Amino acid sequence: MPSKLPSSVLLPYLMVLSILLLFLYSFLLFPLHKPEKTSSPQQSACNLFAGRWILDPQNPQPLYNETCPFHRNAWNCVRNKRENMGLINSWKWVPHGCRLPRIDPGRFLDLVRNKNIGFVGDSLNENFLVSFLCILRAADLGAKKWKKKGAWKGAYFPKFNVTVAYHRAVLLAKYEWQPEKPSALPDQDGLKGIYRVDVDVPADDWINITNFYDVLVFNTGHWWGYDKFPKETPPVFYRAGQVIEPPLRIQEGLKVVLEHMVAYIQREVPRKAVKFWRLQSPRHFYGGEWNQNGSCLFNRPLEESQLDSWFDPSNNGVNKEARQLNYLIRKALQGTDIKLLDLSHLSEFRADAHPAIWLGKKDAVAVWGQDCMHWCLPGVPDTWVDILSELILNTFWYEVKNYTKNTTI
């Protein structure tokens, strides 16, 4: 009978066999378990601006109510007892092929800690801002009103050292009333004075803020019409201090203003700042303009098949200007690093979500007509906030990724 191998000889063989078995196990199993790819907060292929509204009775309640201290009375539809507010906020925007998460205000503020976000433009950007402030306040009840640096309205969130504010600049360019009538104007009949618009000079309200904000959201559009500048008080466009001749019509003036304001933003806003340009917020006047008994007493969103009849400029309807202006803005932004915030399409559906006759002030409708331009709050701008916050976090993804890595236990 052969003698047993001594343990001193057997041990190395067992070790080699163990290593071979371990290698074989790893080779067979590891290909079946590929590591998951790390993804950013928003899938790169996802277009948050294309989708549909679905009625979701289980949609979470808004993050704020009529008591929010940043409200503007005319948009506070809960306090003003607008009908169907529960239904208005039961509609949920669902992008095609991807998910739009609802903003988590605490997480968002934490991830943009020590940063500042600014809105520049007309009252539709203020409408946007009020929604944003009221949502963020849910994570910091110590938020304080903030109106420094020429801000029209804003808030400071002390827990996170974040400022979010709005600078009113309805044309973006500087403009002012002048009773004198420039001799360059060919038709002086019935003229009461002019609004001088300096196409190459930003409005005072935002000219000195470009280094303060880490994120800026611009808009203009709703003031570029003859209802704001009738024949007897027209805008007259100046460049380098001189009247532009021949005088420009309003939309021609807008083109030149966009050219100069976009160039100013590109030149003066630091490259590290994130810049958005919000496209038009569509109006929903039905049956006439705001001063011609136009109304928006609707109970549900429009169908997609109805949108062109409402908004296509070729139909010459009362709400055609949104798409017309968007065309000019898109052209002006070509070749820049300003990101398009295209909230127009998703908002076109929501004829049901304006303050309409519920304006919170006696005789307001008799004086101003129904408000079919601004939005009820809570309401559609809350979805704008969800989209903007997702895009901001996506833009700051590398910082967010490092933050998450450093705070994960």
Side-chain angles (χ1 to χ4, degrees):
M1 177 179 291
S3 60
K4 294 182 180 179
L5 290 173
S7 60
S8 59
V9 175
L10 185 61
L11 185 59
Y13 285 103
L14 291 175
M15 290 178 65
V16 171
L17 182 60
S18 299
I19 292 171
L20 286 173
L21 289 173
L22 181 62
F23 174 78
L24 181 62
Y25 176 82
S26 302
F27 178 78
L28 290 174
L29 292 185
F30 278 13
L32 301 178
H33 297 280
K34 295 180 180 179
E36 294 183 5
K37 293 181 179 179
T38 303
S39 61
S40 62
Q42 180 56 53
Q43 306 96 316
S44 59
C46 179
N47 180 2
L48 295 176
F49 309 124
R52 63 193 179 97
W53 291 94
I54 63 168
L55 185 60
D56 180 7
Q58 304 304 315
N59 203 29
Q61 291 297 305
L63 293 168
Y64 61 98
N65 58 28
E66 70 275 18
T67 66
C68 172
F70 304 113
H71 251 307
R72 182 165 167 176
N73 185 50
W75 308 332
N76 192 341
C77 291
V78 177
R79 177 173 289 167
N80 297 336
K81 303 191 184 309
R82 196 229 194 270
E83 295 175 356
N84 295 322
M85 282 300 293
L87 181 60
I88 285 172
N89 287 296
S90 292
W91 290 94
K92 178 181 179 181
W93 179 249
V94 180
H96 295 314
C98 55
R99 175 176 169 270
L100 172 63
R102 189 184 195 186
I103 183 176
D104 178 335
R107 178 176 181 270
F108 176 82
L109 283 169
D110 210 8
L111 296 177
V112 298
R113 185 181 293 273
N114 304 319
K115 290 182 169 60
N116 302 314
I117 301 170
F119 292 76
V120 179
D122 60 32
S123 59
L124 271 301
N125 255 9
E126 182 185 358
N127 207 179
F128 196 173
L129 170 105
V130 171
S131 169
F132 207 6
L133 296 185
C134 288
I135 286 172
L136 295 181
R137 181 178 175 270
D140 188 354
L141 296 179
K144 303 172 183 177
K145 292 183 179 181
W146 189 91
K147 294 189 71 172
K148 299 175 184 177
K149 295 186 181 295
W152 179 273
K153 178 180 287 187
Y156 175 67
F157 298 88
K159 282 175 62 176
F160 305 93
N161 190 31
V162 170
T163 298
V164 183
Y166 161 67
H167 296 259
R168 180 177 171 85
V170 297
L171 304 184
L172 293 183
K174 182 177 182 178
Y175 85 103
E176 59 186 2
W177 168 253
Q178 289 189 346
E180 300 84 9
K181 301 145 188 155
S183 58
L185 288 185
D187 184 5
Q188 301 273 342
D189 291 343
L191 204 63
K192 298 178 181 177
I194 63 132
Y195 284 96
R196 171 174 171 162
V197 181
D198 287 276
V199 300
D200 50 351
V201 181
D204 291 342
D205 304 78
W206 72 279
I207 195 170
N208 294 318
I209 67 165
T210 52
N211 288 307
F212 179 72
Y213 291 105
D214 303 280
V215 179
L216 280 163
V217 182
F218 297 94
N219 96 294
T220 189
H222 290 288
W223 278 64
W224 293 90
Y226 291 99
D227 58 330
K228 297 294 186 183
F229 299 105
K231 185 178 179 181
E232 62 272 15
T233 56
V236 176
F237 298 96
Y238 287 68
R239 181 164 43 207
Q242 301 296 319
V243 176
I244 298 176
E245 296 190 64
L248 303 178
R249 291 175 297 181
I250 287 182
Q251 286 215 354
E252 294 170 336
L254 171 59
K255 289 181 185 178
V256 180
V257 165
L258 288 173
E259 173 189 328
H260 283 281
M261 294 301 102
V262 168
Y264 180 85
I265 292 167
Q266 290 289 91
R267 185 175 66 250
E268 298 296 332
V269 177
R271 291 194 63 83
K272 65 179 182 178
V274 184
K275 302 177 286 288
F276 295 97
W277 197 296
R278 182 183 60 73
L279 294 185
Q280 295 305 292
S281 170
R283 313 178 317 157
H284 286 91
F285 287 102
Y286 180 78
E289 274 282 3
W290 65 273
N291 56 353
Q292 299 170 344
N293 297 317
S295 178
C296 51
L297 300 177
F298 297 93
N299 292 320
R300 53 186 298 117
L302 301 176
E303 300 291 337
E304 187 156 11
S305 59
Q306 297 175 280
L307 298 184
D308 283 349
S309 66
W310 274 71
F311 300 106
D312 192 316
S314 65
N315 293 320
N316 203 33
V318 296
N319 306 293
K320 64 184 178 183
E321 87 290 338
R323 292 188 183 182
Q324 289 176 325
L325 296 176
N326 281 349
Y327 174 76
L328 298 178
I329 292 167
R330 287 179 185 275
K331 286 191 69 176
L333 296 181
Q334 286 178 355
T336 74
D337 64 349
I338 302 172
K339 304 173 188 295
L340 278 174
L341 191 59
D342 187 1
L343 302 174
S344 298
H345 177 65
L346 71 91
S347 304
E348 284 182 346
F349 291 90
R350 298 306 303 273
D352 60 318
H354 297 283
I357 61 175
W358 293 276
L359 301 176
K361 195 172 182 180
K362 187 179 180 182
D363 300 327
V365 175
V367 175
W368 300 108
Q370 291 191 33
D371 187 349
C372 302
M373 175 182 291
H374 301 99
W375 302 93
C376 281
L377 297 178
V380 170
D382 298 352
T383 297
W384 298 357
V385 170
D386 289 340
I387 292 174
L388 177 63
S389 63
E390 190 71 4
L391 294 176
I392 290 173
L393 293 185
N394 190 51
T395 303
F396 291 139
W397 171 236
Y398 291 107
E399 291 182 36
V400 171
K401 184 178 177 183
N402 289 335
Y403 171 89
T404 305
K405 183 195 301 183
N406 294 334
T407 56
T408 301
I409 299 176

